[in-house]
């Protein structure tokens, strides 16, 4: 059975999902990321869905800009916390992660983390 031309290659799909995850965590829009590497917002969207393969030269640029090893786009073990990409891409989760990263004061970061841990404990005990 031949593969339909519209079917995304699993490797391209994984790389695209990882690109979207890291782009979002770093606070870039598709347009901003595209401008930074010299491609259109539309191509970024196609990369993220796996409809278009990401050229090696762009993967290199993405890894540098997004501060990850290039293997991040392919290997599960390099991003063990990201194995369920779709689950952690919720708006609320991403907002929390961006807010946490924006906290400059280590004491405030620690307090925030403890508050979230406590909230999770209370939620489990309900």
């Amino acid at each position: 059975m031949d593969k339909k031309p519209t079917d995304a290659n699993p490797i391209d799909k994984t790389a695209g999902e990882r690109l979207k995850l890291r782009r979002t965590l770093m606070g870039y829009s598709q347009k901003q990321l595209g401008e930074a590497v010299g491609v259109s917002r539309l191509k970024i969207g196609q990369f993220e869905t796996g409809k278009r393969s990401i050229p090696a030269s762009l993967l290199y640029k993405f890894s540098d800009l997004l501060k990850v090893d290039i293997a991040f786009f392919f290997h599960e073990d390099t991003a063990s916390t990201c194995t369920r990409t779709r689950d952690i891409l919720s708006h609320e989760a991403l907002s929390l992660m961006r807010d946490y990263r924006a906290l400059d004061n280590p004491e405030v970061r620690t307090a925030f983390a403890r508050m979230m841990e406590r909230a999770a404990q209370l939620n489990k005990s309900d």
Side-chain angles (χ1 to χ4, degrees):
M1 211 180 274
D2 288 334
K3 189 169 125 177
K4 296 177 188 175
T6 57
D7 289 346
N9 178 294
I11 295 170
D12 293 336
K13 190 169 173 70
T14 297
E17 288 175 349
R18 299 294 178 101
L19 175 64
K20 181 177 181 178
L21 173 66
R22 191 64 183 172
R23 171 187 62 78
T24 308
L25 289 174
M26 296 293 288
Y28 287 100
S29 68
Q30 287 181 339
K31 181 179 179 184
Q32 290 169 324
L33 184 63
E35 288 173 352
V37 297
V39 299
S40 70
R41 181 205 55 80
L42 180 63
K43 277 191 181 174
I44 297 294
Q46 292 171 337
F47 295 151
E48 290 181 352
T49 60
K51 291 181 181 176
R52 182 182 288 256
S53 297
I54 305 171
S57 59
L58 279 179
L59 272 177
Y60 182 82
K61 289 179 182 179
F62 289 143
S63 68
D64 186 50
L65 182 67
L66 300 173
K67 298 175 177 45
V68 291
D69 188 277
I70 202 162
F72 170 84
F73 297 105
F74 303 105
H75 299 291
E76 293 291 328
D77 60 341
T78 61
S80 60
T81 60
C82 303
T83 56
R84 306 190 127 230
T85 303
R86 287 181 201 89
D87 294 341
I88 65 171
L89 279 178
S90 73
H91 176 72
E92 295 86 5
L94 290 172
S95 179
L96 274 172
M97 285 185 266
R98 274 194 304 267
D99 292 344
Y100 179 79
R101 289 177 51 100
L103 298 173
D104 293 331
N105 184 320
E107 291 177 19
V108 174
R109 270 188 174 211
T110 300
F112 182 81
R114 286 185 181 151
M115 180 189 70
M116 293 305 297
E117 288 171 4
R118 182 64 180 139
Q121 289 171 352
L122 290 172
N123 187 54
K124 285 180 185 177
S125 65
D126 284 346

